[in-house]
Amino acid sequence: MKIAVLGTGGGARAHIAKLADLGHEVHVGTRDVNATLARTEPDVFGTPPFGPWLAGHPDIELHTFADAADRCELVINGIDGRNAVTALTAIAGRLRGKTLIDYAVPYVYDPDIEHPWPTPWGVMPTLDPCDGDSLAEQIQRALPDTKVVKAFVTQEQTTVVDPGAIGGGDHTMFIAGEHADAKRQATDLLTAYGWRDVLDLGPLVAARGMEMYAHMHSAIGFALGFGTHFGIKVVRGE
Amino acid sequence: MKIAVLGTGGGARAHIAKLADLGHEVHVGTRDVNATLARTEPDVFGTPPFGPWLAGHPDIELHTFADAADRCELVINGIDGRNAVTALTAIAGRLRGKTLIDYAVPYVYDPDIEHPWPTPWGVMPTLDPCDGDSLAEQIQRALPDTKVVKAFVTQEQTTVVDPGAIGGGDHTMFIAGEHADAKRQATDLLTAYGWRDVLDLGPLVAARGMEMYAHMHSAIGFALGFGTHFGIKVVRGE
């Protein structure tokens, strides 16, 4: 299948590599191809530059956002939360009728806002939108002809494509969206990644909870200790 | 041990009954004892009036918030999120030096705000505070001489005191707070309730994530179907 991954960060790379391993034709989208390839320093999260990484994956093509989306039937959005709506709106025509799986957290990385929660990488950002709206709903409103699914966002970047690395894979992935066929596509992809417990939370409004879970996710990560991988399992009773 | 439970709703009743079963001396606090006992109709959540329930538990005493707190060493706050800070501030002197375990979700039940998420009981409320602050932190700031612990909030009212009813008890309870001795008290209580996996998320700022998890909790509940009990387990990897 032809799958576009928009974004070149750590999360995007995990999907790109896994999708290529699974035999898909992967087209990566970035804002400015030359700028992305010219970068030689790690980004603010410590992620190494994309150029050398791409050189190690010769089957993967790098394009603009528009060209990557144009070439594919299924699109994974890994554009950071602050820029996603603007960047996706600019290529709305290329996304028409397609499924877009979004996993961004709408973190506010504003150095003028004082965040009280020190983290291993500095301070804890806040979310915008939050509670009364979600990034996924904003994207769906901006792209009414695209089928938006929220997924992946409750799981670490490294293990979202390798759930079996934790507890033998016995933990839960959540999805939400308005379009049943798009959620089936997302579920098929997750099954190929190794997920056995995919819980459909219903309409896209559930993305609010999925995005707001970011703080719990961070707190759990800090509590377990940096570098400890984890997932959460919905344990069903009667 | 003498334990005060402030509040007479469904969550409070679960704790009251369990604590009495465990042999503790339970003092229940309410705003207005006569008004609470005079009520004959279910509340907005469908919880039956407290008077008949109390009549079935003759060992349990009902007092004002102040008198209940005065009589006890450990206090569980079950006052609803919108009124908790005001009600607790009014009895700050009675709570000095004591541990207060708070489990409220700061839901906004404002009929003038349109909530987009229909639930089995009407519409999905939003949270205030949210993201940049939490109710637990507000309570701790209002009561600097009290040791506030956030707990219970991520679990259903009925199973928070009966974790073994779900998956043999193999799921996770979260706590947060600034005071290690108070968190030990909360953990001892949880152990007596049957919890085996109590994860300390660290400082009280983690209460933000715990309270914001309310939307995920609701969404999971809707997805599983009304009446299905569940918990979440933090599955640890390497």
Side-chain angles (χ1 to χ4, degrees):
Chain A
M1 192 177 183
K2 295 179 179 180
I3 303 179
V5 177
L6 308 182
T8 58
R13 289 179 208 186
H15 289 285
I16 295 164
K18 182 71 174 190
L19 291 168
D21 279 353
L22 290 170
H24 295 291
E25 182 181 321
V26 185
H27 295 269
V28 180
T30 192
R31 185 180 318 275
D32 180 328
V33 172
N34 291 333
T36 296
L37 293 177
R39 211 164 287 134
T40 57
E41 295 298 317
D43 70 11
V44 66
F45 303 104
T47 308
F50 190 70
W53 188 90
L54 186 65
H57 296 79
D59 294 342
I60 294 166
E61 295 183 28
L62 184 65
H63 311 273
T64 61
F65 289 142
D67 287 345
D70 229 13
R71 284 169 164 77
C72 298
E73 309 141 61
L74 176 65
V75 181
I76 295 177
N77 174 43
I79 304 172
D80 73 276
R82 296 305 287 166
N83 295 304
V85 172
T86 303
L88 294 172
T89 301
I91 61 166
R94 321 292 184 109
L95 296 168
R96 188 165 293 140
K98 296 177 182 176
T99 293
L100 179 86
I101 305 177
D102 169 56
Y103 66 83
V105 179
Y107 280 136
V108 180
Y109 293 105
D110 182 343
D112 294 334
I113 296 179
E114 194 181 319
H115 301 295
W117 192 342
T119 76
W121 55 88
V123 289
M124 188 69 199
T126 53
L127 305 172
D128 180 22
C130 184
D131 195 26
D133 198 4
S134 65
L135 179 65
E137 291 166 279
Q138 289 185 337
I139 293 171
Q140 183 64 86
R141 289 198 301 273
L143 306 173
D145 299 325
T146 299
K147 299 168 186 174
V148 176
V149 178
K150 193 87 195 187
F152 312 149
V153 65
T154 52
Q155 186 68 29
E156 299 169 289
Q157 294 180 343
T158 49
T159 56
V160 74
V161 299
D162 186 18
I166 297 167
D170 189 21
H171 48 126
T172 308
M173 170 57 63
F174 305 92
I175 62 171
E178 305 296 331
H179 305 275
D181 56 336
K183 288 198 280 195
R184 271 194 299 275
Q185 275 187 291
T187 303
D188 288 346
L189 187 66
L190 286 162
T191 303
Y193 281 178
W195 288 92
R196 302 194 306 268
D197 182 19
V198 179
L199 184 59
D200 181 355
L201 295 180
L204 203 56
V205 70
R208 298 179 190 186
M210 295 165 73
E211 294 174 7
M212 290 162 75
Y213 170 75
H215 286 327
M216 269 288 279
H217 179 88
S218 298
I220 294 168
F222 300 157
L224 297 181
F226 195 66
T228 302
H229 297 298
F230 66 96
I232 56 168
K233 170 73 182 175
V234 175
V235 183
R236 283 78 160 174
E238 299 302 310
Chain B
M1 191 176 182
K2 295 180 179 179
I3 303 180
V5 178
L6 307 182
T8 57
R13 289 178 208 187
H15 289 285
I16 295 164
K18 182 71 174 189
L19 291 168
D21 279 353
L22 290 171
H24 294 292
E25 182 181 320
V26 186
H27 294 269
V28 181
T30 191
R31 184 180 319 275
D32 180 328
V33 171
N34 290 333
T36 296
L37 293 176
R39 212 164 286 135
T40 58
E41 296 298 317
D43 70 11
V44 67
F45 303 104
T47 308
F50 189 71
W53 188 90
L54 187 64
H57 296 77
D59 293 341
I60 293 166
E61 296 182 28
L62 184 66
H63 311 274
T64 61
F65 289 142
D67 287 346
D70 230 12
R71 284 169 163 77
C72 299
E73 309 140 62
L74 176 65
V75 181
I76 295 178
N77 175 44
I79 304 172
D80 73 276
R82 295 305 286 166
N83 295 304
V85 172
T86 304
L88 294 172
T89 301
I91 59 166
R94 320 293 185 113
L95 296 167
R96 188 165 294 138
K98 297 176 181 175
T99 293
L100 179 86
I101 305 177
D102 169 58
Y103 66 83
V105 179
Y107 279 136
V108 180
Y109 293 105
D110 183 343
D112 294 334
I113 297 179
E114 193 181 321
H115 300 296
W117 191 341
T119 75
W121 56 88
V123 289
M124 189 68 197
T126 52
L127 305 172
D128 180 21
C130 184
D131 195 27
D133 199 4
S134 65
L135 179 64
E137 290 167 280
Q138 289 185 337
I139 293 171
Q140 183 64 88
R141 289 198 301 272
L143 306 173
D145 298 325
T146 300
K147 298 167 185 174
V148 177
V149 178
K150 193 87 195 187
F152 311 150
V153 65
T154 53
Q155 186 68 31
E156 300 169 288
Q157 292 181 343
T158 50
T159 55
V160 75
V161 298
D162 187 18
I166 297 166
D170 189 22
H171 47 126
T172 307
M173 170 58 62
F174 305 92
I175 62 171
E178 305 295 331
H179 303 275
D181 56 336
K183 289 198 279 194
R184 271 194 300 274
Q185 276 187 290
T187 303
D188 288 346
L189 188 66
L190 287 162
T191 303
Y193 282 177
W195 288 93
R196 300 195 306 267
D197 183 19
V198 178
L199 184 58
D200 181 355
L201 294 180
L204 204 55
V205 69
R208 297 179 190 185
M210 295 166 74
E211 294 174 9
M212 291 163 74
Y213 170 75
H215 286 325
M216 269 288 279
H217 179 88
S218 298
I220 293 168
F222 300 156
L224 297 182
F226 195 67
T228 302
H229 297 298
F230 66 96
I232 56 168
K233 170 74 183 174
V234 175
V235 183
R236 282 79 158 175
E238 299 302 311

